Amino acid sequence: MHCIMKRLDMTLDRQALNLGHKLKKNNLQIVLCGVLQVIVQRLANSATVKIVTNAAHHLLFSFCRVLVCDSSTAQSEAMCWFAIAALANATGPEFGKHMPILMQVLMLTHSPPSL
């Protein structure tokens, strides 16, 4: 999981050089978020949920970065929301302490247009 998280962070830290690079970066983010979603779901049982709980803040922060990055598309946003839902399901009530991060992104991405 940590290797995939690191790879996702690398895609977020690098600027896209052109449209082709931007599309590749976005496709990689979609795949990485999907892989992380599956990993979180698999680790959500009682014996391994602590691994997810310990990484929850970093995971959510990375998913939120994908949501607000300049190469974000509807597909990458959808995959992030699926991954966030899996994280919330795996961590249960513990997810509440990470809500301020998610609320900031929601306010940023869904703010009403100014008149």
Side-chain angles (χ1 to χ4, degrees):
M1 180 172 72
H2 294 289
C3 183
I4 304 298
M5 289 167 53
K6 186 176 179 179
R7 181 79 171 146
L8 180 60
D9 288 340
M10 286 172 43
T11 69
L12 292 162
D13 293 336
R14 293 196 177 133
Q15 281 288 76
L17 303 174
N18 55 42
L19 182 59
H21 188 258
K22 189 174 182 177
L23 291 172
K24 286 181 183 179
K25 177 180 170 178
N26 182 258
N27 288 337
L28 183 55
Q29 288 172 347
I30 291 167
V31 170
L32 294 172
C33 286
V35 170
L36 286 168
Q37 173 195 353
V38 171
I39 290 170
V40 166
Q41 288 172 326
R42 300 274 189 224
L43 294 175
N45 70 51
S46 60
T48 54
V49 75
K50 191 72 172 163
I51 297 168
V52 176
T53 304
N54 289 339
H57 186 80
H58 187 163
L59 282 165
L60 184 59
F61 185 73
S62 295
F63 295 148
C64 288
R65 286 183 64 199
V66 172
L67 289 173
V68 299
C69 79
D70 62 340
S71 65
S72 185
T73 64
Q75 285 179 311
S76 60
E77 288 183 19
M79 191 55 67
C80 276
W81 285 114
F82 288 136
I84 290 168
L87 183 61
N89 186 53
T91 57
E94 287 288 314
F95 188 76
K97 68 182 177 185
H98 306 292
M99 281 302 294
I101 298 169
L102 191 56
M103 290 305 295
Q104 286 179 341
V105 170
L106 287 172
M107 297 293 283
L108 180 66
T109 60
H110 294 89
S111 59
S114 58
L115 299 175

